[in-house]
Amino acid sequence: MNLYDLFKKTADRYPENPAIIEGSRIVSYRVLDTIISGIAKDLEAKGVAPGQLIGLCFPNSIAYIAFTYAIWKLDAAVVPIDVELKENEIRQLRGQLPIAAKIDHKARDSGLITGKCPVIDTPYYYQTVNLLASCQTGIHIAFVRFTSGTTGERKGVVLSHERIFERIQSVNQVLQVTPDDNVLWILPMSHHFVSTIVLYLINGATIVLANGIWSRSILKTINREHVTLLYASPFHYSLLSADSSGQMIPMVRLAVSTTIGLPVEIHERFFRRFGLPLAQAYGIIEIGLVCINIENALKKPGSVGRVLPDYQIQIKNTKAYSESDGLQCGELFFSGPGFLDAYFHPWLKGKNALVNGWFETGDIGGMDEEGSLYLYGRKNNVINTAGIKVFPGEVETVLSKHPAVAESCVYGENHDRFGQIVAAKVVLDRTGERVSEEALQLFCGKTLAGYKVPKQIEFTEHIEKTVSTGKIRRSQ
Amino acid sequence: MQTKTSLDTIEAQLLDFVRCEIYDPCLGIEADTHLIEAGLDSFSLLKILVFIEKKFDLIIPEAEINEDRMRSVQHISQLIHELLESK
């Protein structure tokens, strides 16, 4: 199976349906397929071959989607590289994943629509890693999603074409996307693609790329393009709710909120403004989208909803957690289709990453008597800032390199707009120089992507060894 | 009590942040550069909002987060200044 072939089948069935709309450009399924094939030919001539990992560093665009499918057409795999990453972070990624070539938006203007072929960096090859070719892994890899982190963290979630297809089928039982749907796209494609873009394109829907970020222009786009489905973060819904233009969005049948927990207050404001409830979703890169609160969005805005029909849930180790809102909390485990094929670095087969077939999410939650799930925090200390994961250890390592810093502790501080922001406590070296918060931030910013730089730094005499910022306090 | 920050200071600090943290330094962002046309996305907007919150102890109300008020560093600085004055 190849996700490109599934796209092609849809393209043959609905050739004149718009696949992507970006401003005044409308690319039909037929034209998108032509673009993809052109790029694939060009990439093949440049040496892209089956089984290779190809880095894709591109902002949201028609090009992003076309590159991804072109890489798949050649049976190579995509490694999304966030455009925010700094050089040394990309170097770290390259040290852990044997990326054969990187397609970089900074290399030049892609010039796709004019028919010009895109240019990729001269392929740079690293020491051959035995896992490079898919025939050697036994997995037909489509995606490797890299998450940078501390030593010991497994990096690179490997997803095959087959697993992605399973996910999409499971999710679409609930979303029910059809060729009549027009989906507004606003989230970064480097972080969201599998259960979204691929799903829409297999089902013949139209992806409408948001032009700009201001609510007035987004509402105009929603109405001009008859958008039926919204998929965005609480922040976007919060901005839309504040719009005073009076424009309504009568065509929208479903608005899904994702990336971070949806504050009930934003849900209420959005509903008051547009008369449409927000359906909160719960997804994890390793296992896909496993809950969406469609049925009870209005009645239970704080819930991520029921578990999708194809998945099972276990709530374990409940003795370690207190009740929250009258619900017994515990650690969440899931089983079901479309789970990860492997972690890339160090290599670990998907089934070995599961505990007797169950995936440990690291999330803490509880379920009410109707089966609606509520999330309350994380078991470990990964920081979720606007849907992007930051590993405290990585930031602490950078801080510790500053000569004035003796010790540091990085944690997530709850934040209304971001979900969490990166915060740090720093103990200064008594014998060393004085340093300001700004200077330390600047220091971190030299080697870390902006979203990882601590937004607030507190200087302290002493650091407690466990910092808990979640609502749930684990018992010892 | 914190002393009021002048418009020039706000603009200088914000421009510095936007140049270093939001855009590629080689883009040469100026105070009157149209931020969306220069590629501002919603994640970058969030970063600017958090910067303002931490730097100036100011939460920009959602109703002010729009094209008219946040078109450029100049516009945002003016907005910050107004909000600080009315605090």
Side-chain angles (χ1 to χ4, degrees):
Chain A
M1 178 196 284
N2 188 312
L3 293 169
Y4 166 75
D5 294 336
L6 293 176
F7 161 79
K8 173 80 173 126
K9 238 169 142 176
T10 311
D12 289 343
R13 199 166 161 202
Y14 309 105
E16 300 313 322
N17 261 25
I20 312 170
I21 298 178
E22 186 177 26
S24 57
R25 289 189 207 156
I26 301 175
V27 175
S28 68
Y29 272 83
R30 186 176 51 78
V31 171
L32 181 58
D33 185 40
T34 310
I35 294 173
I36 291 167
S37 300
I39 294 175
K41 229 172 170 177
D42 183 55
L43 293 180
E44 193 174 21
K46 287 188 161 65
V48 173
Q52 284 179 344
L53 304 185
I54 307 297
L56 180 58
C57 183
F58 236 80
N60 282 2
S61 54
I62 296 170
Y64 193 103
I65 296 173
F67 274 120
T68 301
Y69 277 87
I71 292 167
W72 287 344
K73 192 177 182 192
L74 296 172
D75 276 320
V78 178
V79 180
I81 299 174
D82 192 324
V83 291
E84 289 252 341
L85 289 191
K86 297 274 162 72
E87 257 319 302
N88 62 301
E89 290 169 310
I90 295 176
R91 239 194 330 273
Q92 185 202 358
L93 184 151
R94 280 162 41 179
Q96 283 156 350
L97 304 179
I99 295 176
K102 180 170 68 120
I103 299 171
D104 195 324
H105 71 112
K106 282 185 194 143
R108 38 155 279 148
D109 193 70
S110 64
L112 276 177
I113 300 305
T114 57
K116 275 203 229 155
C117 284
V119 168
I120 58 172
D121 284 357
T122 317
Y124 44 83
Y125 294 90
Y126 305 102
Q127 70 238 43
T128 315
V129 173
N130 288 335
L131 303 165
L132 181 60
S134 54
C135 54
Q136 284 167 292
T137 63
I139 296 169
H140 184 201
I141 303 177
F143 257 115
V144 182
R145 171 75 65 72
F146 184 82
T147 45
S148 58
T150 51
T151 337
E153 291 278 354
R154 290 190 186 275
K155 300 170 193 84
V157 173
V158 176
L159 293 174
S160 66
H161 292 258
E162 290 79 6
R163 296 293 92 73
I164 291 175
F165 184 58
E166 287 173 10
R167 281 183 187 196
I168 287 168
Q169 284 183 307
S170 297
V171 174
N172 213 34
Q173 286 177 22
V174 176
L175 289 185
Q176 300 188 339
V177 171
T178 71
D180 294 331
D181 275 309
N182 297 332
V183 188
L184 182 84
W185 189 260
I186 197 159
L187 297 170
M189 291 180 188
S190 57
H191 292 268
H192 303 266
F193 204 92
V194 170
S195 305
T196 49
I197 301 274
V198 181
L199 183 154
Y200 309 145
L201 290 179
I202 281 184
N203 289 291
T206 302
I207 297 163
V208 179
L209 301 183
N211 55 334
I213 48 178
W214 310 121
S215 47
R216 207 185 322 155
S217 61
I218 287 178
L219 287 171
K220 258 189 207 156
T221 305
I222 290 174
N223 285 318
R224 191 184 58 234
E225 307 299 347
H226 303 289
V227 165
T228 58
L229 184 63
L230 302 179
Y231 191 87
S233 74
F235 175 63
H236 297 115
Y237 290 121
S238 169
L239 289 188
L240 286 176
S241 308
D243 171 76
S244 56
S245 71
Q247 294 180 83
M248 296 304 280
I249 47 173
M251 304 286 286
V252 176
R253 67 171 177 88
L254 180 63
V256 178
S257 175
T258 182
T259 71
I260 58 167
L262 171 68
V264 172
E265 175 262 334
I266 291 179
H267 182 277
E268 281 170 0
R269 281 202 290 123
F270 189 84
F271 184 73
R272 262 204 311 276
R273 172 67 181 77
F274 297 105
L276 184 73
L278 292 172
Q280 193 172 186
Y282 172 44
I284 296 173
I285 180 62
E286 282 95 337
I287 63 175
L289 213 59
V290 290
C291 294
I292 308 173
N293 186 13
I294 292 182
E295 291 167 6
N296 289 313
L298 201 53
K299 208 168 98 192
K300 303 174 182 178
S303 170
V304 293
R306 290 201 183 123
V307 176
L308 264 50
D310 284 352
Y311 299 92
Q312 293 83 45
I313 186 173
Q314 280 186 356
I315 303 180
K316 291 191 184 177
N317 200 16
T318 47
K319 285 195 181 119
Y321 302 93
S322 56
E323 278 193 5
S324 202
D325 302 335
L327 301 180
Q328 180 56 59
C329 291
E331 295 164 14
L332 304 183
F333 288 69
F334 284 88
S335 76
F339 283 16
L340 78 163
D341 292 88
Y343 284 109
F344 205 100
H345 185 91
W347 185 263
L348 180 71
K349 272 269 203 184
K351 64 171 193 254
N352 297 331
L354 305 179
V355 186
N356 299 323
W358 293 84
F359 181 81
E360 180 179 6
T361 63
D363 287 319
I364 309 299
M367 191 177 263
D368 70 13
E369 66 287 349
E370 292 180 324
S372 293
L373 185 68
Y374 291 78
L375 301 181
Y376 292 109
R378 293 278 306 161
K379 188 179 157 191
N380 63 13
N381 51 6
V382 175
I383 301 165
N384 181 349
T385 182
I388 297 183
K389 308 287 187 291
V390 177
F391 294 90
E394 186 184 9
V395 185
E396 285 165 7
T397 307
V398 172
L399 278 170
S400 70
K401 286 183 183 148
H402 193 282
V405 174
E407 200 182 0
S408 69
C409 171
V410 172
Y411 59 98
E413 175 141 315
N414 292 337
H415 189 275
D416 290 344
R417 281 179 175 151
F418 265 81
Q420 288 185 308
I421 56 167
V422 180
K425 287 186 179 183
V426 168
V427 179
L428 290 177
D429 192 330
R430 284 175 196 283
T431 55
E433 52 177 309
R434 304 295 304 166
V435 64
S436 69
E437 181 178 5
E438 286 81 4
L440 273 183
Q441 286 168 330
L442 219 59
F443 179 78
C444 291
K446 282 182 191 153
T447 50
L448 292 171
Y451 59 81
K452 298 179 191 168
V453 174
K455 302 298 174 290
Q456 68 180 40
I457 298 176
E458 185 190 325
F459 295 103
T460 172
E461 290 293 309
H462 169 74
I463 285 175
E464 289 172 39
K465 293 304 173 197
T466 55
V467 174
S468 168
T469 54
K471 287 182 191 165
I472 300 284
R473 202 172 290 274
R474 295 190 70 201
S475 62
Q476 295 299 310
Chain B
M1 188 65 199
Q2 200 181 328
T3 51
K4 301 271 184 199
T5 318
S6 80
L7 183 56
D8 287 349
T9 314
I10 295 169
E11 191 175 297
Q13 289 174 335
L14 187 62
L15 189 59
D16 199 38
F17 174 78
V18 166
R19 277 178 178 162
C20 295
E21 283 301 327
I22 306 291
Y23 293 97
D24 202 308
C26 66
L27 277 177
I29 296 292
E30 296 296 336
D32 59 354
T33 304
H34 193 296
L35 296 178
I36 293 285
E37 282 171 9
L40 187 79
D41 61 15
S42 58
F43 196 78
S44 309
L45 173 65
L46 274 167
K47 288 204 301 192
I48 293 177
L49 293 175
V50 170
F51 171 77
I52 293 169
E53 194 178 320
K54 295 297 165 196
K55 189 86 195 170
F56 304 108
D57 191 21
L58 180 71
I59 294 176
I60 308 258
E62 262 90 357
E64 303 286 355
I65 304 174
N66 57 49
E67 196 166 4
D68 301 333
R69 302 308 309 263
M70 302 195 71
R71 182 184 302 258
S72 65
V73 167
Q74 231 164 38
H75 284 78
I76 303 173
S77 306
Q78 183 65 42
L79 174 61
I80 296 170
H81 191 248
E82 276 172 31
L83 291 170
L84 286 177
E85 288 291 309
S86 63
K87 240 184 168 182

